[in-house]
Amino acid sequence: MGKNIIAGNWKMYKTNPQAVSLVRQLKRRLEKKPANKTMVIVCPPFTAISRVKDELKGSKIAVGAQNISWEEEGAYTGQVSAQMVKSAGAKYVIIGHSERRRYFKEDEKLINRKIKLALKNKLKVIHCVGETLEERKQNLTQDIIANQLEWDLKGVKASELKNIIIAYEPVWAIGTGKTATPSQAQEVHAFLRTLLDVFYTEGTGKKMSVLYGGSVKPANAERLLSQPDIDGALVGGACLAANVFMKIISASEKVGK
Ligand code: PEP
């Protein structure tokens, strides 16, 4: 753990001119009001990674991809590899996002392959886990999280964990406007750290960054980020306008860590 991390997942939004305009505004705002306690990451669509990276020259904002293929290379029409996003300028990649688990039927085995491939290609991983509303209602939150963490990270060495950021994203809170309460999020974050201690060694959980994601907005960011086990946020909808995203970054600066 070090600085708070505020990462923006742009999903399937922003053409290249829109992407450039967004990062230009963000860069300008961060020049005026530097984020000293917060690491900012933007994850544009594949098509804009290279352009965004160029635009961010001289800035501390890092760039991430939203996905990579499970294969190194090959005849896989439409797929984009770890090496490709790396060469386009991505330093991070989001893996295990619930939208990919749900719409693209990505299971733990596939996510595990992608995580290993990302690490092999020196990409840092933002690894998402989270339960659905049904699972929460049935009191299965901890089982689901434990299962995802165990199988997604199968065979990942303790020495590689420094290149992994965990994001707890309750599926029912993503894009719905419903946020986990700070105490609901805190509870799962603390549980995630305990799991990391169990799967690896005592003290592992404390060393890792665990972000919260799910309808983080300027209005709720400070309360969420104040929780002791929340090290930042993975932001969807609220990262698409520079002034709104900037308010979340400012909340992180205010809370510090
Ligand atoms: C996300 O896509 O990771 C996310 C958290 O989205 P939103 O902030 O829109 O809920």
Side-chain angles (χ1 to χ4, degrees), residues 182-183 185-186 222-231 255 257:
S183 64
Q186 165 59 29
E222 197 181 320
R223 281 196 313 134
L224 285 160
L225 296 171
S226 308
Q227 297 300 308
D229 285 303
I230 299 186
D231 304 316
V255 167
K257 275 279 156 81

Side-chain angles (χ1 to χ4, degrees), residues 10-256:
W10 295 11
K11 310 198 188 193
M12 198 173 72
Y13 292 101
K14 307 291 178 189
T15 61
N16 277 5
Q18 290 168 340
V20 168
S21 160
L22 173 54
V23 284
R24 260 191 206 153
Q25 290 176 52
L26 198 58
K27 196 175 153 186
R28 211 174 307 129
R29 281 171 193 269
L30 280 165
E31 275 162 8
K32 275 198 204 138
K33 210 174 164 197
N36 300 317
K37 299 175 192 159
T38 309
M39 187 167 76
V40 180
I41 306 171
V42 291
C43 303
F46 291 138
T47 42
I49 291 176
S50 172
R51 196 63 197 84
V52 163
K53 179 71 185 169
D54 284 349
E55 203 57 47
L56 288 176
K57 261 191 197 116
S59 139
K60 285 188 187 149
I61 305 171
V63 181
Q66 298 173 24
N67 182 31
I68 49 166
S69 172
W70 71 96
E71 288 286 353
E72 198 93 56
E73 63 179 359
Y76 298 100
T77 304
Q79 288 293 104
V80 177
S81 74
Q83 275 182 16
M84 289 169 188
V85 301
K86 175 99 184 152
S87 73
K91 188 172 171 192
Y92 294 85
V93 60
I94 299 171
I95 298 181
H97 193 282
S98 66
E99 285 156 12
R100 297 222 51 99
R101 291 185 196 254
R102 182 171 168 211
Y103 300 126
F104 303 95
K105 307 284 172 262
E106 294 194 1
D107 60 12
E108 285 85 0
K109 214 168 144 197
L110 189 91
I111 290 165
N112 178 250
R113 284 182 72 173
K114 289 188 178 193
I115 290 178
K116 287 180 175 163
L117 208 51
L119 294 171
K120 187 177 163 205
N121 284 282
K122 310 247 173 309
L123 284 164
K124 290 181 187 279
V125 174
I126 302 175
H127 170 219
C128 305
V129 294
E131 82 289 0
T132 62
L133 187 57
E134 251 338 280
E135 290 159 350
R136 176 164 280 266
K137 280 184 184 157
Q138 289 172 37
N139 253 332
L140 292 174
T141 300
Q142 293 201 345
D143 293 347
I144 297 295
I145 303 283
N147 195 59
Q148 288 174 344
L149 201 72
E150 180 175 4
W151 294 102
D152 293 355
L153 295 184
K154 197 99 205 141
V156 172
K157 296 188 206 95
S159 61
E160 296 175 300
L161 292 178
K162 59 180 179 305
N163 294 318
I164 298 183
I165 296 164
I166 309 277
Y168 168 55
E169 297 212 309
V171 180
W172 49 272
I174 298 178
T176 58
K178 283 185 202 145
T179 326
T181 63
S183 64
Q184 277 173 326
Q186 165 59 29
E187 194 184 326
V188 179
H189 280 230
F191 176 66
L192 271 163
R193 292 197 203 278
T194 309
L195 282 176
L196 287 162
D197 285 358
V198 172
F199 295 153
Y200 291 91
T201 48
E202 184 81 35
T204 303
K206 235 196 284 174
K207 286 191 214 142
M208 293 192 67
S209 291
V210 187
L211 315 184
Y212 168 77
S215 297
V216 175
K217 308 280 175 219
N220 58 27
E222 197 181 320
R223 281 196 313 134
L224 285 160
L225 296 171
S226 308
Q227 297 300 308
D229 285 303
I230 299 186
D231 304 316
L234 180 54
V235 184
C239 77
L240 297 172
N243 61 335
V244 181
F245 193 46
M246 193 61 209
K247 283 186 187 151
I248 297 174
I249 297 169
S250 298
S252 160
E253 285 293 288
K254 194 166 167 199
V255 167

